[in-house]
Amino acid sequence: MWRVLNHEWVGVVARWILGTLFFLMGLNKALHPVDFLKILREYDFTTSHVLLNLIAAALPWFEVVCGLLLLGGVAVRGSALLLIGMLVPFTLAVLGRAMAIHAANSIPFCAIRFDCGCGAGEVIVCHKLLENTALLLLATLLLIGRSHRWCLICDLVKPK
Amino acid sequence: MGRELKRVLLEALVVAAMGLAFALLANLASPRGLSLSRNYFPGTGTAHGFESSANSKVNPAANGDGHLAQGNVAARLKEKGLRLIDHEQALQLFRDPQYELESIVFVDARDDRHYAEGHVPGAYQFDRYYPEKHLPAVLAACQNATNIIVYCTGGDCEDSEFAALTLKDSGVPLERLAVYGGGMTEWVESGLPVEIGERRSGTLRGAKP
């Protein structure tokens, strides 16, 4: 199983899937930062407007950069680690908000849908959680994998 | 393994630093970029102080009683010293001869795209997220007006409230400001005329006979 997952082409496909998704979703948010700011505010995670603005202004472009790096095969493992660092708290935040809606409105969990701020508009929460889990697996695969095919600069920090 | 981990962490750090620098520059260069220091949601104690995030902007099934929501909006506005007006009142002000004389002013608090797609005929646009673009014209119009009606999409849209508060902070007397809660959605659903494109473009649509 690991041999299959560690196959060079699996790494390339994982990079392209993650890279394309993050590039497109990031760009969509970067072009409409006010919409993203309003959605972020819904999560109620900070009382600091500066922090809220900083995340709304920077995160989308940051996703675009990570997406491009993965598409081009630059600093693959570092980028994958950063994607995991973004995906984990975001997925937990979506889960937390969905659970709060579920508790407050008695809606079946998988019938809950809202614009989670992922850049694709309104989503069904269960689908989103599954999608994020799959993305996390792909990012983990890139992090621990050894695929160097079609990489421009696979490792930015070279082994000594 | 430890060395390998260090290498990945260092690589992530380099990408993070470069990515953050690029992100901040891109935001600065973008015409739609956000100001980092401006409080876009004034008057709210928390990041989302108006209502529980569990009840806002979710699927319609979760929104419950519309009258209750309307009551909540009215109470919330009252707290801020703002008046909420209903559809009948908005219509009455729109049909008042004083509207043509600009003693009554409608202010659309939505973004460029929504405004261009259709607004209350003669309404000024005030996208409060980019005040430098709209505020001079809106403030000039508000100087002589006795009634200023601010609206956005309607429903759970809060932009009209924040726009009204921004106008208040810019010197418009609070007692002249009112928020039309039903907003553009209610206006269109009632079959009232909608102006397309620029203000006073003359292109109207949607009026019921």
Side-chain angles (χ1 to χ4, degrees), chain B residues 39-102:
Chain B
N39 185 359
Y40 289 101
F41 308 101
T44 53
T46 64
H48 192 247
F50 276 167
E51 54 192 292
S52 160
S53 59
N55 289 318
S56 58
K57 295 177 180 65
V58 291
N59 34 337
N63 284 342
D65 189 342
H67 291 292
L68 186 65
Q70 191 81 346
N72 289 343
V73 174
R76 203 170 71 206
L77 290 177
K78 200 176 170 187
E79 226 172 75
K80 313 245 170 257
L82 290 166
R83 266 184 304 138
L84 176 69
I85 61 166
D86 61 20
H87 182 68
E88 287 308 313
Q89 291 167 301
L91 190 56
Q92 202 176 353
L93 288 163
F94 177 72
R95 288 180 173 157
D96 193 310
Q98 293 295 313
Y99 184 50
E100 287 305 313
L101 302 171
E102 299 214 356

Side-chain angles (χ1 to χ4, degrees), chain A residues 19-20 29 35-36 42-43 56 74-75 81 117 129 148:
Chain A
T20 307
K29 285 181 277 191
D35 293 344
F36 186 48
E42 296 287 316
Y43 283 96
V74 179
L81 184 62
L129 292 174
H148 278 65

Side-chain angles (χ1 to χ4, degrees), chain A residues 31 38 41-42 46 77 156, chain B residues 4 11 32 47 56 159:
Chain A
L31 294 177
K38 289 180 192 173
R41 182 170 161 260
E42 296 287 316
T46 177
R77 294 206 286 166
L156 210 58
Chain B
E4 192 72 4
E11 190 170 82
R32 295 177 186 172
S56 58
D159 287 330

Side-chain angles (χ1 to χ4, degrees), chain A residues 58-133:
Chain A
L59 191 65
W61 289 112
F62 194 77
E63 288 180 8
V64 168
V65 170
C66 288
L68 283 175
L69 291 179
L70 285 182
L71 281 171
V74 179
V76 172
R77 294 206 286 166
S79 302
L81 184 62
L82 287 173
L83 290 197
I84 293 171
M86 289 190 272
L87 275 168
V88 169
F90 173 66
T91 307
L92 290 176
V94 170
L95 178 67
R97 189 165 166 216
M99 284 170 73
I101 292 167
H102 174 63
N105 300 290
S106 309
I107 308 173
F109 191 79
C110 281
I112 295 169
R113 55 189 159 84
F114 56 82
D115 190 340
C116 59
C118 40
E122 200 174 82
V123 292
I124 295 171
V125 163
C126 284
H127 293 179
K128 189 69 210 167
L129 292 174
L130 279 175
E131 182 192 311
N132 279 12
T133 308

Side-chain angles (χ1 to χ4, degrees), chain A residues 22-37:
Chain A
F22 270 80
F23 174 74
L24 292 177
M25 301 289 194
L27 196 63
N28 191 26
K29 285 181 277 191
L31 294 177
H32 305 99
V34 166
D35 293 344
F36 186 48
L37 176 73

Side-chain angles (χ1 to χ4, degrees), chain B residues 110-149:
Chain B
R110 298 171 305 151
D111 61 21
D112 292 352
R113 182 173 65 85
H114 287 102
Y115 181 81
E117 281 172 4
H119 51 267
V120 172
Y124 284 85
Q125 189 197 0
F126 177 42
D127 181 353
R128 68 183 193 87
Y129 293 95
Y130 305 102
E132 57 289 339
K133 188 177 166 190
H134 305 283
L135 201 54
V138 176
L139 276 183
C142 291
Q143 294 280 315
N144 304 316
T146 50
N147 268 301
I148 301 148
I149 298 95

Side-chain angles (χ1 to χ4, degrees), chain A residues 2-50:
Chain A
W2 174 242
R3 193 181 283 179
V4 175
L5 286 176
N6 205 24
H7 191 279
E8 291 224 313
W9 285 107
V10 175
V12 173
V13 171
R15 265 203 299 122
W16 286 352
I17 291 174
L18 276 173
T20 307
L21 268 175
F22 270 80
F23 174 74
L24 292 177
M25 301 289 194
L27 196 63
N28 191 26
K29 285 181 277 191
L31 294 177
H32 305 99
V34 166
D35 293 344
F36 186 48
L37 176 73
K38 289 180 192 173
I39 294 165
L40 272 185
R41 182 170 161 260
E42 296 287 316
Y43 283 96
D44 238 345
F45 67 91
T46 177
T47 54
S48 161
H49 66 268
V50 177

